[in-house]
Amino acid sequence: MNRLYLFFALICCLALVQQDAPAQTYQGTQYCQLCHSGAAGNQYTVWQNTLHAKIHLRPDTISVRPLDWFTRGDSVSVGIASAKVYLSRVGNDYFARVGAGGTNYKIAYTYGWGFKQRYLVKIDTSYYMLPIQYNLKGYLNNTTGSWVPYNASNWFNTDGTPKPINNTFRTKSWDKNCMGCHITGGRVERVVVGTDTSWRATWANNSSDLNMTIGCEACHGPSTGGAGPGHQMNPRTLPSKRAKLEVYGQCHNRASSWRGPGLVGTHEYNKNELNNTYFNPGDTTHPLSEFMNFGMPANGPGGPGTWYDGKTARQHHQQYQEILGSRHFTTPFVEITCFTCHASHKGSGGNHLLVDSLTVGTTHFRVDNADNTLCLACHATHEPFQAIQPAWVQNEPAYRDSIGRYVNQHSRHSVYDPLNTLNTGGSGRCSKCHMAKTAITAVAYDIHTHTFAVVPPVQTLRYRDSTRVATGMLNSCAASCHRNPSGSTAAVPSFGIPTDPTLTNWAEPTDLALADTLWRYWQAWGFTGVRELAHAVPATYTLSQNYPNPFNPSTHIIVELPQQSDVMLAVYNIIGERVATLMQGEFKAGRYEVTWQGKDDFGLQLATGVYLYRLDAGNTSMTKKMILLR
């Protein structure tokens, strides 16, 4: 057996050494395949079944979805005038004609696989995404689906006629905008021929479809041409947490390529346009920030797409920015990176490639998101679950009731049903509240937030009139459970509020009524405490000085209302940003005691500092200062 292993390793070495590629060049997944599909491990074998490996596939009867639309020759409307894309199949080839009198393009690759299906066609030397997208029913669920337009205005004029293939059209090519995160070892060059400008992508071993994927070197860095132990970077051994996060962050972000301070880059991936260099995850002397401009404002050109709080992702692939701003990045208890929870080599049969085992310190756990062991493996004996013991997590079925008691104390829910045996949708499951679906890709809200913070119901009330980046704003309670309870969530209370299927509009009366009800529960549960005191009706509006002051961990504020009023009591940091909402809504005349725990609207502890609190009620505004000490 040892001789067989040595012989196989020698073959691998020779295969790699025979390549004349200089150091720090991408050789391609096919060279990793030689060793890592048997004698030296099965990483390649299991990688083949991940979404990374299936991001682009040659069209066939399995990868083309929905196959019957092509077989029947159906057409898909794109939402612009009467414009359509006409689908067809001839033997083993698949085609799409863009517009009734437009060009019939042969589909070169399918794209997506997990949630959605898009299609790449080649025009001259560049690839382009067709203006249609097929959304699967759910993650890896192809039982049904629906068509939606995909950037149809790139292809069609407002009257429904196809646009000409000119310089403007070419700026929307896959090569220019997308390829950097969709292939292995991607490079792009700007090609100018006379007055024509286009972009042409290349990747590791262009002749191999294995590299039209997120392959081995995309995460492990370019091969240096050698083989054996240490011949390639292991992301887990990088010297800092940030460097480890950048392995995933090179793609799971929303920013522009680097073109200089304050400038929007030409591409949407990690290229330093000034130096014509690309990010290498194995070279920590050149961090990701040298190749991507992370300084662009949210919801503007080249910046992340967020909800109105400026933190919660509204668009996909920006988990990197979210986790950098989360407490998971700063926690002193355990180092948490993307591959703490996600296994890149795991087969796609798992949900979102989550790990099934985890070692914290010297303690080993079998873990699952559904029963909370994935989260509790780290949180046991640490906030907010100091009382939960690691031994309970290791034997979760036996200690489920004990775990549930402490989780319910934290969540303020009375039912602990993370496995959804009671049709609650998973009441008490950590990820339901702390990783709500907030970002839009194929099916509305199918990407989970990685801020790990709960978006409180007051945010829906606060941004009810906002329409700049979206209509209103979601909240975690409604998005995860309470908005449309049915099916597996039938036991979730709707509080008598009708269901609302329009997920893209969070300012409808049903949304506001639900948010108002949820916010009242939120306050009554003590996240922000408001208690009416027995007292005669006050003569004037009054805002007391908080007591104690300075304070830690909590403080009290008295508010007096001489008449029924629309009230807003909020806390602001020293630069004027609202960090916590203590009262919002209609309150009857009376005297109220407000208790604040020093947490922001996401339930996170605020830092030591000076804060302002302001009361707006009736025609009165009052502001006072308080000091939080940690």
Side-chain angles (χ1 to χ4, degrees):
M1 178 62 71
N2 288 338
R3 289 182 179 179
L4 178 62
Y5 178 82
L6 290 173
F7 174 76
F8 192 88
L10 178 62
I11 295 297
C12 292
C13 292
L14 291 173
L16 291 169
V17 171
Q18 286 175 355
Q19 307 306 312
D20 296 327
Q24 296 302 301
T25 58
Y26 290 88
Q27 297 189 62
T29 297
Q30 67 277 5
Y31 296 106
C32 304
Q33 176 186 3
L34 292 172
C35 295
H36 292 281
S37 56
N42 67 343
Q43 294 91 342
Y44 174 83
T45 306
V46 293
W47 165 83
Q48 281 185 296
N49 292 318
T50 66
L51 299 191
H52 280 172
K54 297 176 181 292
I55 193 166
H56 295 124
L57 295 171
R58 291 287 185 179
D60 58 28
T61 56
I62 296 175
S63 67
V64 170
R65 298 179 288 186
L67 178 65
D68 55 333
W69 282 67
F70 287 85
T71 302
R72 294 194 305 259
D74 291 342
S75 60
V76 181
S77 297
V78 298
I80 298 178
S82 59
K84 294 182 178 181
V85 174
Y86 299 83
L87 309 176
S88 62
R89 175 186 177 185
V90 180
N92 295 324
D93 295 327
Y94 301 83
F95 298 88
R97 188 170 76 251
V98 180
T103 304
N104 200 33
Y105 296 105
K106 181 180 177 179
I107 293 175
Y109 292 96
T110 63
Y111 161 80
W113 188 255
F115 279 115
K116 56 183 175 282
Q117 182 82 82
R118 295 177 186 161
Y119 309 91
L120 278 178
V121 299
K122 194 169 188 178
I123 303 175
D124 299 326
T125 60
S126 301
Y127 290 93
Y128 296 82
M129 292 274 196
L130 286 173
I132 52 175
Q133 174 176 301
Y134 184 72
N135 291 339
L136 279 63
K137 178 182 179 181
Y139 181 67
L140 294 174
N141 184 344
N142 191 37
T143 55
T144 59
S146 59
W147 289 101
V148 295
Y150 177 73
N151 291 332
S153 60
N154 294 348
W155 289 80
F156 291 98
N157 297 307
T158 56
D159 64 357
T161 57
K163 289 186 173 180
I165 309 301
N166 55 21
N167 287 349
T168 300
F169 179 85
R170 295 187 188 106
T171 63
K172 305 298 183 181
S173 71
W174 171 91
D175 301 63
K176 176 180 179 294
N177 297 292
C178 309
M179 71 86 193
C181 294
H182 291 184
I183 57 179
T184 302
R187 299 290 186 268
V188 65
E189 62 176 319
R190 184 168 174 262
V191 181
V192 179
V193 179
T195 59
D196 290 333
T197 300
S198 61
W199 286 262
R200 182 170 58 205
T202 57
W203 50 88
N205 193 339
N206 281 44
S207 63
S208 172
D209 286 347
L210 281 178
N211 302 302
M212 269 287 274
T213 60
I214 313 301
C216 307
E217 292 171 299
C219 294
H220 291 279
S223 173
T224 57
H231 72 283
Q232 206 165 21
M233 180 271 292
N234 181 348
R236 296 180 184 274
T237 63
L238 287 171
S240 69
K241 184 189 300 187
R242 184 179 288 269
K244 295 173 185 177
L245 287 170
E246 287 178 351
V247 174
Y248 287 71
Q250 62 179 308
C251 289
H252 291 273
N253 72 75
R254 187 168 285 272
S256 71
S257 51
W258 179 253
R259 198 165 63 90
L263 298 176
V264 178
T266 303
H267 310 289
E268 296 178 15
Y269 43 86
N270 41 67
K271 177 178 182 179
N272 186 321
E273 297 188 57
L274 301 181
N275 299 330
N276 195 32
T277 53
Y278 298 81
F279 175 70
N280 171 5
D283 182 3
T284 57
T285 63
H286 295 284
L288 184 59
S289 57
E290 289 187 17
F291 305 89
M292 303 208 75
N293 191 342
F294 292 109
M296 306 307 293
N299 299 314
T306 70
W307 290 91
Y308 292 99
D309 58 15
K311 301 177 182 179
T312 307
R314 183 179 48 84
Q315 296 173 301
H316 65 300
H317 69 72
Q318 56 195 53
Q319 294 90 342
Y320 173 70
Q321 284 130 313
E322 288 188 292
I323 197 171
L324 284 183
S326 76
R327 297 184 71 189
H328 274 187
F329 182 65
T330 58
T331 176
F333 302 129
V334 64
E335 181 181 85
I336 298 176
T337 63
C338 304
F339 36 80
T340 301
C341 299
H342 296 283
S344 299
H345 296 152
K346 185 177 180 180
S348 60
N351 189 19
H352 297 283
L353 306 185
L354 290 174
V355 298
D356 53 20
S357 65
L358 192 59
T359 300
V360 181
T362 59
T363 306
H364 186 73
F365 300 88
R366 298 296 298 178
V367 296
D368 190 344
N369 172 57
D371 63 10
N372 283 337
T373 52
L374 178 59
C375 298
L376 293 176
C378 291
H379 280 280
T381 72
H382 295 121
E383 69 167 300
F385 300 120
Q386 293 90 333
I388 294 178
Q389 301 302 306
W392 299 4
V393 182
Q394 289 177 308
N395 191 5
E396 186 274 337
Y399 290 95
R400 186 170 298 164
D401 290 343
S402 299
I403 291 172
R405 182 168 65 254
Y406 290 105
V407 172
N408 282 352
Q409 288 177 7
H410 169 69
S411 69
R412 310 301 201 274
H413 286 63
S414 59
V415 177
Y416 186 67
D417 182 37
L419 295 173
N420 195 33
T421 57
L422 302 176
N423 278 352
T424 63
S427 176
R429 187 185 305 167
C430 302
S431 59
K432 295 291 288 187
C433 296
H434 291 278
M435 298 190 71
K437 297 178 181 180
T438 65
I440 303 168
T441 172
V443 180
Y445 309 114
D446 54 6
I447 299 294
H448 297 261
T449 177
H450 282 67
T451 64
F452 306 102
V454 178
V455 182
V458 71
Q459 298 293 67
T460 300
L461 301 174
R462 178 181 179 185
Y463 294 106
R464 67 175 71 194
D465 297 323
S466 300
T467 57
R468 184 172 56 86
V469 299
T471 304
M473 180 173 171
L474 53 67
N475 66 82
S476 298
C477 307
S480 292
C481 294
H482 293 283
R483 184 165 184 168
N484 294 311
S486 63
S488 64
T489 62
V492 175
S494 64
F495 306 105
I497 297 167
T499 59
D500 178 9
T502 312
L503 291 173
T504 54
N505 184 345
W506 286 86
E508 295 170 290
T510 50
D511 297 306
L512 302 178
L514 180 59
D516 181 71
T517 298
L518 293 169
W519 177 237
R520 292 180 187 276
Y521 275 99
W522 184 282
Q523 295 177 99
W525 284 338
F527 295 116
T528 299
V530 180
R531 180 168 66 97
E532 186 176 4
L533 303 176
H535 189 270
V537 174
T540 61
Y541 289 101
T542 303
L543 177 66
S544 75
Q545 183 65 50
N546 67 299
Y547 65 94
N549 188 40
F551 70 95
N552 181 23
S554 63
T555 191
H556 306 279
I557 301 167
I558 300 296
V559 172
E560 294 185 341
L561 308 174
Q563 60 189 32
Q564 183 167 321
S565 306
D566 189 11
V567 177
M568 168 66 74
L569 176 64
V571 180
Y572 301 83
N573 60 24
I574 201 65
I575 62 174
E577 297 173 329
R578 189 203 293 189
V579 295
T581 308
L582 308 185
M583 295 177 71
Q584 180 171 344
E586 197 80 19
F587 287 82
K588 66 181 182 179
R591 192 168 188 257
Y592 297 87
E593 181 186 56
V594 180
T595 301
W596 184 45
Q597 305 291 339
K599 298 181 180 181
D600 66 13
D601 274 337
F602 293 89
L604 303 179
Q605 295 283 356
L606 290 168
T608 293
V610 176
Y611 294 88
L612 305 175
Y613 60 102
R614 171 175 166 167
L615 172 68
D616 290 292
N619 296 320
T620 302
S621 293
M622 305 178 197
T623 302
K624 293 185 182 294
K625 184 186 298 183
M626 58 182 164
I627 300 174
L628 171 61
L629 296 178
R630 293 294 184 196

